[in-house]
Amino acid sequence: MCEANAYLVQDNEEELLLESVDIVEPDGPNAWRIVDIFGEQKIIKARIKGMNLVDHKILFERE
């Protein structure tokens, strides 16, 4: 599988936002819509800090 888990990084700690993320797309200024393989979705107001697809991680941080 090629999904990744999305995390919010705060104070060097990773907080899991959503598992098995399949879609990441812009949702307005400084916001992203993330959708998992089951259709669950979340809107996060943050910027993408990084992606590590080998480790299946998408990292967001608040601005």
Side-chain angles (χ1 to χ4, degrees):
M1 295 287 207
C2 298
E3 307 88 31
N5 295 331
Y7 297 89
L8 179 64
V9 179
Q10 294 182 15
D11 300 325
N12 293 320
E13 302 267 334
E14 296 177 357
E15 174 190 340
L16 181 63
L17 295 171
L18 194 62
E19 293 181 298
S20 302
V21 171
D22 186 41
I23 298 171
V24 177
E25 61 185 21
D27 190 67
N30 303 319
W32 296 91
R33 182 174 79 98
I34 54 177
V35 183
D36 72 9
I37 59 173
F38 305 107
E40 181 181 355
Q41 63 179 330
K42 292 185 176 181
I43 305 296
I44 174 125
K45 292 192 174 203
R47 70 179 187 94
I48 293 177
K49 179 179 181 182
M51 300 172 99
N52 186 328
L53 298 180
V54 171
D55 289 338
H56 304 272
K57 288 184 172 184
I58 304 167
L59 304 173
F60 293 91
E61 70 179 0
R62 302 262 189 230
E63 294 184 280

